[in-house]
Amino acid sequence: MLRQRVQAKVLVAMFIVTTFVAAPLASLAQKVSPVAPARAQVEAVVKEAYDKFKNDPGGKNADYIPYLAQVDSKLFGIAIVTTDNQELSMGDIKYAFSIQSISKVFSQALAMEELGPDKVLDKVGNEPTGRAFNSVFAVADMPTHTGNPYVNAGAISTVSLISAKTADEKWNKILDFYSRVAGEKLTLIDEVYKSEAATNTGNKALSMLLAKYDRIYADPFESVDVYTKQCSVGVNVVQLARMGATLANNGKNPKTGEQVIKPENVPHILSTMIMAGLYDGSGGWAWHVGLPAKSGVGGGIVAIVPGKGAIAVFAPPLDEAGNSVKAQKVIQYVANRLDFNLFSPRSVGLKATE
Ligand code: DON
């Protein structure tokens, strides 16, 4: 009798557990990622940012590369890719713009894959220049001459470090690496390349100065040419966000699952992004936004939220430092609303009042 009562109680308990506890937990496990922010909330905030800044009149297209001057300055796209490969995008998301200086992040990554971070630090350096991205004075004044991998001089030097028998082989290696980071095949925008190659006397001068200081490690003009090609790679805003998400995901592409960048190199890359990703705007950016990010004169900016994902914005008009005005505003708005600022204890869940 007692045994029957115990058996009945066990059956009732099992029924309660399977019906009211296990089933909701199972569905929760399917729907909620342990790392990605809640989708509906992110969608709402991105939509708010899109509407708020769509008609912002600030900035002007880059015009020192003639092609960029005639790109429609009203183009505007936003994309987020999370480390668990959720995508969310809005606006002009199919338009392929030139990656420009954002490429420097991924050539830095490739050089570190090949040589290791210490060698790249030694050969190129990692200090802010306090000057414009194309400054000749920085090359002459700085003890390292190269500054860091994100100013033009340091970027050309970084390209010269990547091993290859010919310039063509180096270029194909770079394009293949970028494509693996993006999780899709990327291509050169030939018109951008031709436009920049016809006007890049300043970068050629930088390469000659680097040669004078023994801070370029392959043929200077060949290095400038490969660098000009890497800046002319076309990306849409979703591809750019996925490139950022690969960094956010410890170097593993969230779409393809390929470990493209060694995990131990990622913190070095993100530290350079915080220090120099927006050139002379980097200090203000760290103050207001607190996320590693990189801009390009094509109008793109990508910001990394480690462990969670990346946000990329494309809008051509730039500020004086060469950073997209709308992209900065959108990312700042989204990062503040979603508590992404890495320097804020709220980014790991502490409340403002604690
Ligand atoms: O070498 C240049 O000037 C361009 N290809 C890249 C500069 C750039 O994107 C600076 N970014 N804000």
Side-chain angles (χ1 to χ4, degrees), residues 37-52 78 80 88-90 330 333-334 337-338:
R39 188 174 175 110
Q41 190 195 6
V42 178
E43 256 166 9
V45 171
V46 169
K47 174 85 171 64
E48 273 166 38
Y50 183 83
D51 293 340
K52 191 171 165 68
I78 307 178
I80 288 184
L88 190 162
S89 53
M90 215 163 279
V330 167
Y333 183 85
V334 173
R337 288 291 313 275
L338 296 175

Side-chain angles (χ1 to χ4, degrees), residues 18-165:
T18 49
T19 311
F20 299 107
V21 182
L25 276 182
S27 66
L28 199 69
Q30 274 162 15
K31 280 192 203 128
V32 180
S33 150
V35 288
R39 188 174 175 110
Q41 190 195 6
V42 178
E43 256 166 9
V45 171
V46 169
K47 174 85 171 64
E48 273 166 38
Y50 183 83
D51 293 340
K52 191 171 165 68
F53 299 114
K54 192 166 54 169
N55 297 317
D56 188 285
K60 191 172 157 302
N61 281 31
D63 56 9
Y64 74 99
I65 299 170
Y67 179 96
L68 297 180
Q70 48 84 40
V71 172
D72 180 356
S73 37
K74 294 220 155 38
L75 287 165
F76 181 33
I78 307 178
I80 288 184
V81 175
T82 62
T83 48
D84 64 348
N85 198 33
Q86 294 187 51
E87 290 182 11
L88 190 162
S89 53
M90 215 163 279
D92 298 305
I93 56 171
K94 295 246 162 80
Y95 183 88
F97 53 95
S98 55
I99 190 169
Q100 294 297 342
S101 277
I102 306 168
S103 66
K104 295 166 178 172
V105 173
F106 302 101
S107 287
Q108 173 197 28
L110 177 55
M112 289 206 282
E113 288 299 302
E114 291 195 356
L115 302 165
D118 292 348
K119 197 86 175 237
V120 175
L121 183 63
D122 177 47
K123 298 275 184 193
V124 182
N126 199 50
E127 296 300 336
T129 65
R131 304 264 195 183
F133 61 83
N134 49 8
S135 173
V136 176
F137 301 109
V139 180
D141 283 353
M142 290 193 81
T144 63
H145 306 291
T146 31
N148 65 67
Y150 298 168
V151 288
N152 288 8
I156 294 164
S157 175
T158 303
V159 167
S160 78
L161 280 175
I162 296 166
S163 70
K165 288 199 190 73

Side-chain angles (χ1 to χ4, degrees), residues 17 35 46 70-71 82 115 152 168 190 223 276 303-304 306 308 318 346 350:
V17 167
V35 288
V46 169
Q70 48 84 40
V71 172
T82 62
L115 302 165
N152 288 8
D168 261 1
D190 204 44
S223 302
I304 318 302
K308 291 183 177 159
L318 311 177
R346 280 177 303 173
L350 294 189

Side-chain angles (χ1 to χ4, degrees), residues 201-332:
T201 47
N203 284 339
K204 286 180 181 147
L206 288 176
S207 75
M208 283 285 109
L209 256 188
L210 291 173
K212 167 180 151 73
Y213 295 115
D214 285 331
R215 294 292 280 180
I216 192 157
Y217 313 101
D219 181 83
F221 284 180
E222 251 179 40
S223 302
V224 172
D225 190 53
V226 174
Y227 162 82
T228 307
K229 283 189 176 133
Q230 79 170 41
C231 291
S232 309
V233 168
V235 283
N236 63 43
V237 77
V238 179
Q239 291 166 334
L240 183 59
R242 199 176 305 108
M243 293 177 94
T246 297
L247 287 169
N249 197 32
N250 226 5
K252 189 180 200 174
N253 186 307
K255 181 180 170 190
T256 64
E258 184 187 355
Q259 187 73 50
V260 195
I261 299 168
K262 289 191 185 90
E264 60 268 32
N265 293 345
V266 171
H268 299 303
I269 297 167
L270 299 187
S271 79
T272 314
M273 292 175 91
I274 272 286
M275 183 220 27
L278 272 75
Y279 305 107
D280 269 3
S282 301
W285 178 262
W287 179 285
H288 291 294
V289 186
L291 288 177
K294 185 73 201 83
S295 64
V297 289
I301 298 186
V302 62
I304 318 302
V305 192
K308 291 183 177 159
I311 174 166
V313 182
F314 165 61
L318 311 177
D319 66 12
E320 290 292 309
N323 303 316
S324 166
V325 172
K326 265 186 214 162
Q328 289 178 81
K329 289 184 177 176
V330 167
I331 297 171
Q332 176 169 350

